[in-house]
Amino acid sequence: MAAAAAAGRCLWRVLAPRRGAAAPGLRPCLPPPGRPYAAAATAAKAAKKSSQKTKQEETKKKKRLIRQPLMSKPVDDVYLTWCYERPSYDAEVAVGMLKKFQELDFTYPRQYVYVNITLDMALQKKKKVDPFASVVLLPYRFTDDMNKVLVFTENKEEAEIAQQNGASIVGGVELIKWILEDEIKMDFYVAVPEIMPKLIPLKSKLRRKYPSARRNSMGRDIPKMLQLFKEGLEYAVEDEHLIKTRIARLDMPTEQIVANLNAIIQDICTFKPSSYGPFVQKLVIRSSTSEGLLLNLDGLLPQVEKEEEKDEEEKNPEDE
């Protein structure tokens, strides 16, 4: 019996399938050599291509659809705004409309007037105007707030002049440590040329507030610099092409509001040569509680190119 059992075990070891091998007499579960799933895969690809073609054809048809041009002026009092071009107004007319909106809405009469200015920053050969900031002295002030200005000078006479003209702090290199440690924080910093080499440690700290001749914050006329930065309005380019700033109060006379607007436009246009085309693309004016009104740019932008052409014609008249 023991011999028979041992012989049976040996026979079982020989006939038993190994792990991972197919049992004798059974075929492995593999797809037949004809690849029955290939037809389904090709059909799916064909359906996908056809759907892509139909989508492309639909987009082409949409592109071919020509939208009718918007109408210029509505005839009735009630109309769909998206069917008509956005109206533009002269600056005086727009300011008058803002004043009427305030009266009809019974809102605060001394609210601020704002402008949103869209710029064309492009230059030749894919170059662009770098985003900039500036301070402009408006012809008519609309706030009593004064900016705090620090004057860098080591000359006693210049220091006295700065103090007499309303400088918040006057000093020399001894102020550098306090500025780096944030013990002194000013709205603007101006300096005389002699002290500029000693202020280099402040360049990375102050950044665009660092005194420079290009920003009119470095020079010898201390009273003029103090007037500009104490009373001036600062604006900066946002989102690479947009300027948002306030220019007046709504209760000011229309002529004064328009004069402040012209002063800002003239200052902005100095940052791009007129030979590259108009710098200002779009100009919207509004008050704190009103809708924005699109302004007509004719008469607001400087006419430098036309004047240059006239000068050239006068210098080189055609021979009759």
Side-chain angles (χ1 to χ4, degrees):
M1 291 294 291
R9 284 196 296 269
C10 293
L11 183 61
W12 172 253
R13 289 175 182 173
V14 173
L15 297 178
R18 295 181 182 178
R19 184 177 295 179
L26 296 176
R27 299 181 65 183
C29 297
L30 296 174
R35 296 181 66 193
Y37 301 106
T42 53
K45 288 181 180 179
K48 190 175 181 180
K49 287 182 179 179
S50 62
S51 63
Q52 289 178 352
K53 286 182 180 180
T54 53
K55 287 181 180 179
Q56 290 176 356
E57 291 176 356
E58 289 177 358
T59 53
K60 287 181 180 179
K61 288 180 180 179
K62 289 180 180 178
K63 289 181 179 179
R64 290 174 185 172
L65 292 175
I66 300 174
R67 187 175 179 180
Q68 294 182 354
L70 298 176
M71 292 177 282
S72 58
K73 292 183 180 180
V75 180
D76 300 326
D77 294 335
V78 180
Y79 57 92
L80 297 174
T81 56
W82 57 268
C83 291
Y84 295 87
E85 296 178 357
R86 186 177 182 180
S88 61
Y89 308 93
D90 293 337
E92 293 82 1
V93 176
V95 173
M97 293 174 65
L98 295 181
K99 290 178 177 290
K100 280 192 175 181
F101 293 160
Q102 180 271 322
E103 294 175 0
L104 294 173
D105 296 337
F106 297 99
T107 53
Y108 185 54
R110 283 179 55 82
Q111 58 187 284
Y112 287 116
V113 178
Y114 298 87
V115 289
N116 293 357
I117 305 170
T118 305
L119 304 178
D120 180 12
M121 306 288 280
L123 296 173
Q124 288 182 351
K125 297 180 180 180
K126 299 183 179 180
K127 294 183 179 180
K128 293 184 178 180
V129 179
D130 295 329
F132 57 89
S134 180
V135 179
V136 58
L137 191 63
L138 300 178
Y140 300 98
R141 297 191 69 243
F142 58 90
T143 178
D144 297 329
D145 298 335
M146 290 285 186
N147 298 317
K148 297 178 181 180
V149 185
L150 183 149
V151 178
F152 286 108
T153 180
E154 293 180 332
N155 186 291
K156 292 183 179 180
E157 294 180 0
E158 292 175 344
E160 291 177 0
I161 294 173
Q163 290 174 353
Q164 292 172 1
N165 286 271
S168 300
I169 298 177
V170 182
V173 293
E174 70 277 3
L175 300 177
I176 295 177
K177 176 184 177 182
W178 302 107
I179 296 173
L180 292 175
E181 294 178 356
D182 293 328
E183 295 292 334
I184 294 177
K185 291 183 179 180
M186 295 284 111
D187 296 317
F188 298 101
Y189 302 82
V190 301
V192 294
E194 290 79 10
I195 201 173
M196 288 302 297
K198 301 178 182 179
L199 302 181
I200 294 177
L202 293 175
K203 199 165 188 179
S204 59
K205 178 71 176 179
L206 298 182
R207 297 184 180 180
R208 76 180 188 190
K209 291 184 178 182
Y210 185 76
S212 69
R214 186 170 61 88
R215 298 186 182 92
N216 299 317
S217 56
M218 190 269 289
R220 298 186 183 280
D221 195 343
I222 294 177
K224 184 178 179 181
M225 291 190 296
L226 282 172
Q227 183 185 12
L228 173 62
F229 291 99
K230 279 177 55 184
E231 303 177 6
L233 173 70
E234 184 181 21
Y235 65 87
V237 177
E238 304 175 7
D239 300 328
E240 298 184 353
H241 70 283
L242 184 64
I243 293 176
K244 298 180 181 179
T245 185
R246 57 186 185 180
I247 62 170
R249 288 190 182 273
L250 193 57
D251 62 336
M252 293 171 58
T254 301
E255 298 79 13
Q256 295 183 3
I257 299 175
V258 174
N260 285 355
L261 173 63
N262 285 326
I264 291 178
I265 295 299
Q266 297 296 323
D267 189 73
I268 290 172
C269 291
T270 60
F271 287 89
K272 181 179 178 180
S274 59
S275 58
Y276 293 101
F279 197 14
V280 178
Q281 283 187 324
K282 183 179 177 183
L283 180 55
V284 177
I285 189 171
R286 65 175 180 85
S287 67
S288 301
T289 59
S290 74
E291 62 178 294
L293 300 176
L294 183 65
L295 293 187
N296 185 6
L297 297 178
D298 294 339
L300 288 177
L301 302 183
Q303 304 293 328
V304 179
E305 292 183 359
K306 292 182 179 179
E307 293 179 359
E308 290 178 354
E309 290 177 359
K310 289 180 181 178
D311 293 339
E312 290 179 358
E313 289 178 359
E314 291 176 358
K315 291 180 182 177
N316 300 318
E318 295 181 359
D319 296 331
E320 295 181 359

